[in-house]
Amino acid sequence: DIQMTQSPSSLSAFVGDRVTITCRASQSISNYLNWYQQKPGKAPKLLIYAASSLQGGVPSRFSGSGSGTDFTLTISSLQPEDFATYSCQQSYSIPPGLTFGGGTKVEIK
Amino acid sequence: QVQLVESGGGVVQPGRSLRLSCAASGFTFSSYAMHWVRQAAGKGLEWVTIISFDGTNKYYADSVKGRFTISRDNSKNTLFLQMNSLKTEDTALYYCARDPGAYCSSTSCYGNHLDYWGQGTLVTVYS
């Protein structure tokens, strides 16, 4: 199975900071990589699909890049509503199935 | 607007069964592949299963294969998850989610991203 490793597992940042989260796949997945945001007690929300395509309604301060095994989610200027947990997810093939990264919790500094 | 509402969760003993439902509205349900994804308390997301738009193709995570069955009733805009032989490790919040980009065949699915999720239904398995 394809393993997804996110780093860091948590970070603290100020409002207005540029934040970068990385996700590494255990094998090449082309651009089959999606990013989700999840707030406590809420369902995940799709931010980025196919590595770099912004989901409709998502602010443009969110961007994604990468291909193959290494991917990045960037928040260009962190806003108060962005404090949440972010997870990557590979969609290279089913079977064996979709797999998610362990998540990165973004907290207020 | 797109809405997905899960139901059917509860507390059950190991070895017992439970059937989850996901009622869809606000979109043409029969045009989309659908997934179940679960999340244990304080843990990450775990994909469980997918069903193609017409119910022809279904795939499962190894952890539930042979015990869980996904199905759908497109006439009633409803997705189901039949869970048999439940284990304590199946305890989690179960989400249904829509997949606008899936291409599924008899051998595989790919191109999946989950654009709308329900709020989840909690399944607790303990003795």
Side-chain angles (χ1 to χ4, degrees):
Chain A
D1 291 10
I2 301 173
Q3 308 302 317
M4 305 302 295
T5 304
Q6 273 184 250
S7 60
S9 57
S10 65
L11 65 90
S12 296
F14 292 105
V15 171
D17 281 353
R18 182 182 182 89
V19 170
T20 299
I21 299 168
T22 63
C23 184
R24 175 165 288 176
S26 59
Q27 67 181 70
S28 178
I29 56 171
S30 184
N31 70 333
Y32 291 103
L33 192 283
N34 310 311
W35 290 98
Y36 299 86
Q37 176 194 66
Q38 189 176 22
K39 297 182 179 180
K42 300 294 186 180
K45 173 186 175 183
L46 178 67
L47 300 176
I48 302 286
Y49 63 96
S52 61
S53 296
L54 192 68
Q55 174 68 359
V58 174
S60 59
R61 62 181 179 274
F62 291 93
S63 64
S65 64
S67 67
T69 60
D70 294 314
F71 301 87
T72 300
L73 173 70
T74 300
I75 309 172
S76 60
S77 178
L78 198 65
Q79 298 302 300
E81 60 269 29
D82 299 337
F83 293 94
T85 297
Y86 294 84
S87 298
C88 61
Q89 172 242 314
Q90 66 81 16
S91 59
Y92 186 66
S93 180
I94 303 172
L98 309 182
T99 49
F100 292 84
T104 296
K105 187 174 184 180
V106 176
E107 297 177 304
I108 300 173
K109 196 169 192 177
Chain B
Q1 72 281 20
V2 173
Q3 265 201 312
L4 297 168
V5 179
E6 302 93 337
S7 61
V11 179
V12 294
Q13 293 180 320
R16 303 298 290 266
S17 299
L18 211 53
R19 189 193 198 204
L20 307 184
S21 300
C22 170
S25 61
F27 66 102
T28 305
F29 179 69
S30 59
S31 295
Y32 291 84
M34 297 293 296
H35 298 255
W36 288 98
V37 176
R38 67 185 182 184
Q39 187 171 35
K43 302 296 184 180
L45 298 160
E46 180 187 13
W47 175 79
V48 176
T49 179
I50 181 177
I51 186 168
S52 58
F53 71 99
D54 59 358
T56 299
N57 300 299
K58 308 172 186 180
Y59 297 94
Y60 300 90
D62 286 345
S63 58
V64 306
K65 200 174 296 181
R67 300 188 298 122
F68 290 11
T69 302
I70 191 171
S71 62
R72 65 192 297 161
D73 185 338
N74 284 346
S75 68
K76 296 182 178 178
N77 294 339
T78 305
L79 176 72
F80 302 101
L81 183 65
Q82 178 67 42
M83 303 186 297
N84 298 332
S85 303
L86 281 161
K87 305 177 180 180
T88 55
E89 52 263 43
D90 295 320
T91 295
L93 187 63
Y94 283 73
Y95 296 102
C96 63
R98 188 182 85 162
D99 187 340
Y103 173 77
C104 292
S105 69
S106 59
T107 57
S108 66
C109 285
Y110 60 89
N112 312 96
H113 59 274
L114 283 58
D115 67 346
Y116 284 94
W117 300 58
Q119 286 306 301
T121 186
L122 183 61
V123 172
T124 304
V125 184
Y126 87 109
S127 54

